[in-house]
Amino acid sequence: MNRRELIYGAGLFAGTAVGVNAMGTTRDSSAPDDVHQEALSLADYEPKSMLREAESHVSRSRYPVIDTHTHITYSAKSISDLSLSADRVYLAKPEELLSVMDRKNILAMVNLTGGYAQGLVDTVSKYQKGFPGRFYVFTEPIYEKFLEPDYPKLQALEIEKAHRDGANGLKILKALGLYLRENITSGKLVTIDDRRFDPMWDVCAQLNLPVAIHIADPLAFFTPTDRFNERYEELHNHPHWSFYGHDFPSVAELIQARNRVFARHPKTRFVTLHVGNLAEDLGSVSENLERFPNMTVDIAARVGELGRQPRNARKFFDRYQDRIVFGTDATPDDTNSMQQNFCDCMYEVYFRFLETDDEYFDYACSHIPPQGRWRVSGLNLPDGILRKLYNQNAARELGIDL
């Protein structure tokens, strides 16, 4: 007789099965349930934590913030992340953004998706020139002209023009490596380290323009959307976010291609977004930071990842405090990604995470965690690191005076 059978037999011998509840009292488990509930769907499951923990409300950042990763505009025509038109869609008026910025102590927002050609000129005029010191704008590649025989030279010249028009840097969406193909939207995928982009990287170095580069999404997006996937709900709700299968490269392959670019262009400064696109593996990110002096990282939309490994994350911030910039991925009216929906609450989550030692709190302003079913703990960073993270490192990268 095994242990389970022995215990079961003891219960029968006693004449009843007895359970002990959380208050230490006994309950007769043989009694019928008063209510027979139907199965609860995962989408309707919203458990309330029974922990009694300190809850800090940080309504304003301790020091002025430069949010280096926002999306205030986007292309009027795009396929996946491929911008195929210079025309811009404006998600919010400057005055609407400034009201939140002033309440939260946001000194400036960097609009990474400022576009190119006339769209860039219009965006710079509307935000950057209209409100000096509060908005900065990056340009983007002109993928719609990728098939032109002189594209490498044309793209480099367009970066020079964008710089003259007021662009403060170049934004590379994950279109390069995951969506751009030899015929723009069809054919073989174009790799991140394709030599046709070398003149673009070089001219950014010559003009001292930082490159904000996004090459991959969370690791779970590259695995099957099944019961083992920690982001099952997110991918179930947004199946087109999955990069599992087909001809998509792995995260490791994407990072290797990106690293070859870093090695070939040591004078070009790269800001690797979303904690180097590998927040789940800070050890690997650290190795890349050690290997490439021209690399920095931002923390945009990765509080959920950093906050579930707070001790490891704190060590990471301590070691690389001069090479991390503040960013959120803030996008006005982005109800599909609540962790980056531009609002007061979004910023308050970041401030609580960075400035307090609170434990086990939500990383997004939503009833159900949007990225995974977990909560986070704060880092309680010291003032010296907070100053660097909130504005000093960003000011250095953007070449602006505080």
Side-chain angles (χ1 to χ4, degrees), residues 218 220-221 229-235 237-238 241 274 280 299-306 308 328-329 336-340 350 363-364 366 368-374 376:
F221 287 20
N229 195 308
E230 65 178 359
R231 291 175 179 255
Y232 173 83
E233 289 173 279
E234 185 179 24
L235 290 167
N237 293 332
H238 307 283
W241 290 1
H274 309 297
E280 303 93 332
I299 62 171
R302 293 298 181 269
V303 169
E305 294 294 349
L306 295 170
R308 61 173 172 161
T328 61
D329 211 2
N336 284 326
S337 302
M338 292 305 298
Q339 73 277 7
Q340 60 202 54
Y350 277 84
Y363 59 81
S366 59
I368 298 176
Q371 295 178 310
R373 291 271 183 162
W374 59 78
V376 300

Side-chain angles (χ1 to χ4, degrees), residues 99-323:
S99 64
V100 175
M101 293 167 67
D102 290 342
R103 286 196 297 271
K104 300 296 109 181
N105 201 18
I106 308 301
L107 175 65
M109 292 177 67
V110 180
N111 177 28
L112 294 182
T113 44
Y116 50 84
Q118 189 59 44
L120 172 69
V121 173
D122 294 341
T123 301
V124 168
S125 176
K126 186 178 182 69
Y127 295 93
Q128 187 167 300
K129 291 184 178 179
F131 299 86
R134 304 306 304 274
F135 298 100
Y136 297 91
V137 178
F138 276 36
T139 188
E140 300 173 76
I142 308 181
Y143 293 132
E144 61 184 283
K145 296 186 178 181
F146 183 67
L147 298 182
E148 297 189 15
D150 59 346
Y151 174 78
K153 180 180 179 181
L154 182 154
Q155 181 60 81
L157 291 174
E158 191 61 33
I159 297 296
E160 293 179 350
K161 182 180 182 300
H163 180 249
R164 293 193 299 271
D165 289 336
N168 293 271
L170 171 67
K171 171 64 161 81
I172 302 297
L173 293 163
K174 60 179 179 284
L176 181 58
L178 287 171
Y179 291 118
L180 179 65
R181 296 177 179 272
E182 286 296 337
N183 296 311
I184 301 181
T185 59
S186 64
K188 185 180 178 181
L189 281 168
V190 177
T191 61
I192 298 167
D193 60 338
D194 191 291
R195 289 284 185 176
R196 284 169 285 188
F197 293 101
D198 280 348
M200 179 177 72
W201 310 127
D202 286 337
V203 77
C204 286
Q206 295 164 16
L207 298 173
N208 199 30
L209 291 176
V211 178
I213 183 167
H214 178 183
I215 63 158
D217 279 341
L219 287 174
F221 287 20
F222 293 79
T223 63
T225 304
D226 57 19
R227 64 193 180 97
F228 300 109
N229 195 308
E230 65 178 359
R231 291 175 179 255
Y232 173 83
E233 289 173 279
E234 185 179 24
L235 290 167
H236 178 74
N237 293 332
H238 307 283
H240 59 287
W241 290 1
S242 173
F243 294 106
Y244 177 72
H246 304 290
D247 62 344
F248 293 121
S250 66
V251 173
E253 291 170 327
L254 290 166
I255 289 178
Q256 289 166 6
R258 181 203 68 185
N259 287 352
R260 287 191 288 271
V261 172
F262 290 2
R264 286 206 308 261
H265 303 275
K267 295 183 179 180
T268 306
R269 293 180 294 116
F270 294 93
V271 181
T272 57
L273 307 180
H274 309 297
V275 195
N277 288 127
L278 200 57
E280 303 93 332
D281 188 351
L282 293 181
S284 293
V285 179
S286 298
E287 290 176 5
N288 287 321
L289 284 167
E290 295 293 336
R291 181 181 174 189
F292 301 110
N294 56 334
M295 171 183 169
T296 60
V297 303
D298 85 358
I299 62 171
R302 293 298 181 269
V303 169
E305 294 294 349
L306 295 170
R308 61 173 172 161
Q309 48 179 329
R311 288 181 291 277
N312 198 23
R314 175 59 188 270
K315 293 176 184 177
F316 182 82
F317 277 78
D318 286 342
R319 183 172 181 83
Y320 300 107
Q321 58 187 270
D322 295 313
R323 300 173 67 185

Side-chain angles (χ1 to χ4, degrees), residues 71-74 88-93 96-97 113 126-127 330-334:
H71 300 283
I72 303 171
T73 63
Y74 65 91
R88 297 284 96 189
V89 174
Y90 302 100
L91 295 175
K93 297 177 180 179
E96 296 170 339
L97 300 170
T113 44
K126 186 178 182 69
Y127 295 93
T331 307
D333 296 322
D334 187 358

